[in-house]
Amino acid sequence: MPFQQEPPSLGNQYEDDRVLRSYLKRLIPEASVREIESSLSEMGRLAGDDLYQLQLADRLNEPLLTQWDAWGNRIDKIELTPLWRLAERIAVDHGVVATAYEQKLGALSRVHQCALAYLFTPSTDIYSCPLAMTDGAARTLLTLGNQALIDRAVPHLVTRNPEEFWTAGQWMTELIGGSDVSSSETVARKDENGMYRLHGRKWFTSAVSSQMALTLARPEGNPTGGRGLALFYVETRDENGRLSNIEINRLKDKLGTRKVPTAELTLAGTPAQLVKGTTDGVRNITPLLNITRLWNGISAVALMRRGLALAADYATKRVAFGRRLSEQPLHVDTLAGLQAEFEAAFHFAFYVAELTGRNETGEIDEDEALLLRLLTPIMKLTTAKQAVFVTSEVLESFGGAGYVEDTGLPALLRDSQVLPIWEGTTNVLALDLLRALGLDGKHRNEESPSGLTLLMSRMSHGFESVSDPQLAAAARVALAAFDHAANWLARNEGETGKRGEGERATRMLEAGARRFALTLGRAVELTLLIKHARWSREHAQDGSATVAARRFSSSGIDLIVDDIF
Ligand code: MFK
């Protein structure tokens, strides 16, 4: 018989996921776990079977933009691929957005929803993108309290009825910038009926097939800068189903996320309603940013998990040099390192989901609210980088097969590469962390380090009683990294106030912000992993998380570099 390689396969993605199951067992009361388990198991089955099979079959399909009909009418119609059409139905049926709003588990509903999203995402070629924005739009409308818009849109965004479901777009990026949103050039002019109409170009609008969007525009006469922008609600089609003075100029030709119909738009008098006031658009859209950043982190761990599930299965099937890969120490060691990165990232993303859930049910206290504000950018930037690293290594673990398109593997890396870019690049989020600590130029706050002190004390809480020597050693690594970060910050922050030193020190602070944020991110991950490992040993006699914590503790936690200039 000639050699024939058996491909990797997936089982039920919930049943097979030790990390998710063990985490839910720790966090959620047993009766509640039983209540939600069938929903997770069904999503795990779909993700490992029907959706995964369709994903492979749908690989070459991409959304299609038809700008003109046969008779010369501008129609700008987008046809989605079969995978995305099925993904939408499944997402709505299974409440991948709705679960967070039904709040059947109270504050833990966010975790339940994120678990569904985590299982669903990797088999849907980033259908998580429209869902993230839909979720973010619902949360933003609810937060800002415009009752008419809440009544009009939120029931569609959080429904479980596919016939009524709307997705939402988030139209922020313009030619002038995707990060520096405050310079947006879109203008809002009132027409003769007092209705605002938007005029401008949106340069990078994800999932443009949505029924509504939240977007930023500058009401005529407003000052420059973020404060002069207002947040607007747009319905993309009129009562006849025609686009509301919106032209879709073209779809973007992107490295990855090929199923996402990302478009360049011209708004040519698009009717729009103010969501809250005529100013402070940037501040008002931040609830949306924070929700999509959470989804970004959940998607990052989901893609890592998918890659590792495939790699681990393949290792039991692939024979080289006379042995299965799963019997070869170097291969096993390599995968174990990736598994540790994934487990660390998993606990961080889900910890932010926990805080988000408490925020949404009003159970969060002031300290935790600050913690959530600090951890959201740190989590997003840390997990996104890990996803690119892990999926790249996953491809390598397949050898040449990982580089060949029809295995479906290269898409994992390409789709991961968007995660550090959209929703705030690593550098923008590192600077956002300085802002949240009150250390950026605009938001300087004399009390600023208290945020960091709080973060460190919350994270190290309980470490004094860690008795397992391996976990105690890992805890020392985390504490040392926190201390180093705090000392670096104190030194630079102290100097920003000194005469003659201020400008240089501010530059140093900014230049080191990425290393500072990543160090905090990896140290937070290590502490959360240690806490879970401790619980697993004590309550489930499972030492796997301890192995991961130990390994993670020796894979570059402290990235601070002193005196780099
Ligand atoms: C798989 C799932 C992924 C999801 C898919 C979604 C696909 C969509 C793709 C995209 O649309 S990607 C584009 C997303 N764009 C961004 O994420 C923008 C990145 N840039 C930033 O985040 C900048 O930091 C920011 C635009 C916010 C900076 O703008 P400004 O005008 O310089 O901000 P400024 O003046 O510092 O802050 C304005 C206010 O907002 C301040 O409050 P005050 O008015 O009270 O002083 C800030 O404290 C507040 N703020 C800023 N960021 C915040 C925040 N508040 C809470 N949370 C935040 N994250």
Side-chain angles (χ1 to χ4, degrees):
M1 282 283 281
F3 174 77
Q4 185 66 51
Q5 178 59 50
E6 196 185 339
S9 60
L10 294 173
N12 182 313
Q13 290 302 280
Y14 172 69
E15 308 291 341
D16 291 353
D17 194 331
R18 166 185 61 79
V19 177
L20 172 64
R21 291 171 59 118
S22 155
Y23 164 74
L24 293 177
K25 204 167 168 197
R26 169 169 66 78
L27 188 78
I28 300 181
E30 210 177 321
S32 303
V33 173
R34 275 201 300 277
E35 224 173 278
I36 64 172
E37 210 157 29
S38 61
S39 72
L40 296 170
S41 185
E42 176 56 9
M43 187 61 85
R45 187 191 68 72
L46 286 165
D49 192 358
D50 306 24
L51 268 172
Y52 179 52
Q53 294 309 328
L54 180 57
Q55 180 183 38
L56 292 175
D58 199 57
R59 190 177 60 80
L60 293 175
N61 296 327
E62 294 193 354
L64 192 69
L65 169 64
T66 307
Q67 287 175 307
W68 305 94
D69 74 5
W71 308 102
N73 298 301
R74 182 92 194 228
I75 51 170
D76 288 353
K77 188 170 145 245
I78 290 179
E79 206 171 320
L80 301 174
T81 79
L83 176 66
W84 263 44
R85 292 202 296 272
L86 178 67
E88 174 168 315
R89 271 205 103 72
I90 289 176
V92 180
D93 275 345
H94 292 75
V96 180
V97 174
T99 302
Y101 294 84
E102 294 161 351
Q103 296 190 338
K104 288 191 183 145
L105 285 192
L108 291 172
S109 303
R110 213 9 119 178
V111 170
H112 179 196
Q113 179 229 9
C114 285
L116 286 168
Y118 160 84
L119 293 168
F120 170 85
T121 292
S123 297
T124 63
D125 288 350
I126 316 293
Y127 191 74
S128 48
C129 169
L131 295 180
M133 295 188 293
T134 301
D135 187 351
R139 179 50 52 203
T140 304
L141 292 174
L142 290 167
T143 304
L144 297 179
N146 179 330
Q147 200 54 47
L149 292 182
I150 292 173
D151 294 344
R152 169 79 185 147
V154 174
H156 290 291
L157 302 174
V158 306
T159 184
R160 280 183 186 252
N161 179 352
E163 307 308 319
E164 292 174 2
F165 182 60
W166 286 4
T167 56
Q170 165 194 356
W171 302 347
M172 291 175 69
T173 301
E174 300 198 0
L175 262 159
I176 198 159
S179 298
D180 186 5
V181 174
S182 61
S183 317
S184 295
E185 293 177 318
T186 297
V187 172
R189 254 179 233 133
K190 278 192 177 165
D191 66 14
E192 60 284 6
N193 302 317
M195 156 78 78
Y196 275 108
R197 290 186 175 269
L198 308 186
H199 300 263
R201 280 173 82 188
K202 296 290 175 182
W203 184 240
F204 222 105
T205 58
S206 281
V208 74
S209 47
S210 60
Q211 286 80 1
M212 62 150 283
L214 293 180
T215 190
L216 298 173
R218 197 175 307 281
E220 251 181 341
N222 267 20
T224 55
R227 281 202 201 287
L229 292 169
L231 178 60
F232 284 94
Y233 166 88
V234 169
E235 286 189 12
T236 53
R237 292 182 182 272
D238 63 19
E239 55 285 1
N240 301 312
R242 282 191 295 260
L243 281 169
S244 306
N245 300 344
I246 298 167
E247 284 178 3
I248 305 178
N249 302 327
R250 60 175 166 165
L251 297 182
K252 295 286 196 188
D253 187 7
K254 296 164 292 174
L255 172 70
T257 67
R258 302 285 304 189
K259 294 280 195 302
V260 182
T262 307
E264 295 169 19
L265 303 180
T266 297
L267 308 180
T270 307
Q273 295 177 57
L274 287 168
V275 180
K276 187 182 179 191
T278 55
T279 58
D280 292 305
V282 172
R283 186 189 331 134
N284 287 336
I285 206 166
T286 56
L288 196 160
L289 297 184
N290 291 330
I291 290 292
T292 48
R293 287 169 187 173
L294 169 62
W295 274 82
N296 210 87
I298 296 294
S299 299
V301 289
L303 293 179
M304 285 187 248
R305 157 75 189 143
R306 170 55 50 89
L308 286 166
L310 290 167
D313 182 69
Y314 189 66
T316 64
K317 293 171 172 163
R318 174 76 178 161
V319 174
F321 305 109
R323 280 182 301 172
R324 291 176 203 280
L325 294 179
S326 58
E327 291 158 357
Q328 306 203 21
L330 182 52
H331 193 81
V332 171
D333 182 84
T334 306
L335 292 189
L338 304 181
Q339 177 71 19
E341 288 289 325
F342 154 68
E343 291 193 31
F346 175 98
H347 289 289
F348 198 1
F350 275 87
Y351 183 64
V352 172
E354 289 170 40
L355 292 174
T356 303
R358 283 212 280 285
N359 189 32
E360 289 168 340
T361 52
E363 288 163 53
I364 204 163
D365 61 26
E366 213 176 296
D367 280 356
E368 278 190 329
L370 177 56
L371 203 56
L372 175 61
R373 175 71 184 93
L374 298 174
L375 290 183
T376 300
I378 303 177
M379 182 279 287
K380 191 276 190 186
L381 70 86
T382 307
T383 56
K385 283 287 182 210
Q386 288 171 300
V388 177
F389 166 69
V390 168
T391 53
S392 170
E393 287 282 350
V394 161
L395 264 55
E396 189 179 334
S397 78
F398 281 86
Y403 202 63
V404 170
E405 290 289 353
D406 54 5
T407 60
L409 292 164
L412 270 176
L413 175 59
R414 280 200 301 267
D415 289 351
S416 294
Q417 182 63 68
V418 83
L419 298 170
I421 295 176
W422 69 8
E423 294 311 322
T425 61
T426 308
N427 284 359
V428 164
L429 291 175
L431 295 175
D432 183 48
L433 172 62
L434 295 188
R435 180 201 282 116
L437 284 168
L439 292 167
D440 67 329
K442 280 192 277 184
H443 298 90
R444 175 157 293 284
N445 171 0
E446 295 313 318
E447 301 292 306
S448 53
S450 66
L452 188 58
T453 312
L454 169 77
L455 188 152
M456 287 164 58
S457 75
R458 282 292 174 116
M459 287 302 133
S460 56
H461 181 73
F463 268 12
E464 58 292 342
S465 59
V466 174
S467 54
D468 177 89
Q470 292 180 356
L471 292 180
R476 284 193 293 278
V477 172
L479 293 176
F482 279 130
D483 279 345
H484 195 185
N487 290 338
W488 176 85
L489 186 67
R491 202 170 53 252
N492 286 295
E493 205 267 331
E495 290 186 358
T496 54
K498 281 192 200 157
R499 195 181 313 187
E501 285 290 332
E503 202 179 310
R504 181 176 172 276
T506 302
R507 280 211 317 274
M508 297 276 281
L509 205 59
E510 277 193 30
R514 174 196 276 244
R515 286 183 288 271
F516 172 66
L518 281 168
T519 298
L520 290 181
R522 293 181 72 77
V524 167
E525 288 187 344
L526 181 55
T527 61
L528 295 171
L529 187 51
I530 291 167
K531 285 175 188 180
H532 186 74
R534 202 175 164 193
W535 179 90
S536 297
R537 289 191 89 97
E538 285 166 15
H539 295 86
Q541 289 70 54
D542 179 0
S544 324
T546 300
V547 172
R550 194 167 157 226
R551 195 174 269 275
F552 187 66
S553 70
S554 57
S555 47
I557 304 301
D558 181 357
L559 305 175
I560 302 272
V561 181
D562 294 305
D563 305 323
I564 200 160
F565 298 115

